[in-house]
Amino acid sequence: MNNTLQYSSYDIIEVCLLAGKVMLQSGAETYRVEDTMSRIAAAYGVLHSHSYVTPTGIIFSMDGTEPAKLIRILERTTDLHKVVEVNDISRRISAGGLSPGQAAELLRQVEHGPPAYSVWVQLLSAAAASGCFMIMFRGVWADFPAAFICGAVGFIAVQYFHRLVQVKFFAEFSAAFLIGLTASLLVTTGFGHQLDTIVIGSVMPLVPGLLITNAIRDLIAGHLVSGLSKGADAFLTSFAIGAGVALIFSLWWSGGIL
């Protein structure tokens, strides 16, 4: 018996859109989102489904059964653990182990679940990564504590300002500014030595590496709109980081805030 007779088209579309939403919000590539949605629909007996995914929205439809439906993506972050969980649910659906209702409930739990790592773990990881990047860029071990502190300041700043003002550019610009200010203070007081390597290492956790990678992969896969928009987003992030550091350097070393 065809699965489309067992489950309503509305329920199938809801599961597909929910899976795509969670994946796209968590940093998955556009082509991976479309492929997962198509596989879920096929597992429920819908052999001809159509999806159009951009970083800010998903359109999904089934041939001749229901009108196309749209879901907006208002916030995007990086949580690859949730992408893995959605892929696991998709495989369970393909194996015939989940009904649309069960799958939708599991997907909602993934969507509203806590991040894989606590804020404190993320903070320590960003700080330690800053110190390691500083060493990788030929810094000295004596500057590891300074880079550690600057990386922690940058992470706290980007989290705080993003919650305060829902403008990603402002949060990243402010975080880069505070990283440059903290590094300048530490070097001036003698706690740090090589300002350039400290700053470079500290801003690395802010660099949109995953976004750049996804933009290139989407362009290669033929998703031109998504690839170009993600590339533009990565460019704005890079510009915000550079502008924040450049502003504090121009003010500090010109004597503007001494």
Side-chain angles (χ1 to χ4, degrees):
M1 186 175 185
N2 195 312
N3 285 338
T4 56
L5 301 178
Q6 299 179 28
Y7 307 119
S8 70
S9 301
Y10 175 83
D11 292 336
I12 297 173
I13 292 176
E14 181 185 15
V15 172
C16 293
L17 285 175
L18 188 55
K21 176 185 177 182
V22 175
M23 293 184 70
L24 200 58
Q25 285 179 334
S26 303
E29 307 94 319
T30 299
Y31 73 89
R32 188 185 299 275
V33 174
E34 292 187 349
D35 180 69
T36 299
M37 295 171 66
S38 299
R39 289 178 182 273
I40 292 174
Y44 288 131
V46 181
L47 301 180
H48 301 288
S49 61
H50 305 277
S51 58
Y52 180 71
V53 179
T54 69
T56 57
I58 302 175
I59 300 175
F60 185 83
S61 69
M62 300 189 304
D63 277 347
T65 55
E66 293 285 342
K69 294 193 175 183
L70 166 69
I71 188 169
R72 286 277 292 165
I73 306 298
L74 301 177
E75 185 174 348
R76 296 181 299 277
T77 184
T78 301
D79 193 340
L80 299 183
H81 180 71
K82 289 188 176 183
V83 177
V84 172
E85 288 184 316
V86 174
N87 284 331
D88 180 64
I89 294 172
S90 174
R91 285 189 287 269
R92 292 175 62 184
I93 293 172
S94 299
L98 294 175
S99 66
Q102 293 171 329
E105 179 62 26
L106 290 175
L107 289 170
R108 291 191 192 98
Q109 292 177 10
V110 173
E111 180 184 12
H112 300 294
Y117 302 99
S118 66
V119 175
W120 286 107
V121 173
Q122 296 179 49
L123 173 61
L124 291 175
S125 300
S130 299
C132 294
F133 276 119
M134 184 272 301
I135 297 298
M136 189 176 70
F137 288 111
R138 298 185 178 182
V140 295
W141 280 102
D143 285 338
F144 190 93
F148 187 95
I149 294 172
C150 292
V153 169
F155 178 84
I156 293 172
V158 76
Q159 296 293 322
Y160 173 76
F161 286 113
H162 186 65
R163 293 180 182 179
L164 184 66
V165 180
Q166 293 295 322
V167 179
K168 184 180 177 184
F169 182 90
F170 175 78
E172 292 161 346
F173 174 85
S174 301
F177 182 88
L178 289 177
I179 287 174
L181 177 61
T182 305
S184 298
L185 286 171
L186 293 175
V187 171
T188 301
T189 57
F191 189 78
H193 303 87
Q194 298 179 353
L195 179 63
D196 53 347
T197 56
I198 293 174
V199 171
I200 293 172
S202 302
V203 300
M204 286 303 293
L206 304 180
V207 174
L210 179 65
L211 195 60
I212 295 172
T213 302
N214 286 350
I216 296 174
R217 295 184 69 174
D218 283 342
L219 287 172
I220 293 175
H223 296 273
L224 302 181
V225 174
S226 295
L228 291 175
S229 60
K230 289 180 181 179
D233 192 2
F235 171 78
L236 287 175
T237 297
S238 302
F239 179 77
I241 295 172
V245 173
L247 178 60
I248 185 60
F249 278 10
S250 63
L251 292 175
W252 183 272
W253 298 108
S254 66
I257 56 176
L258 285 177

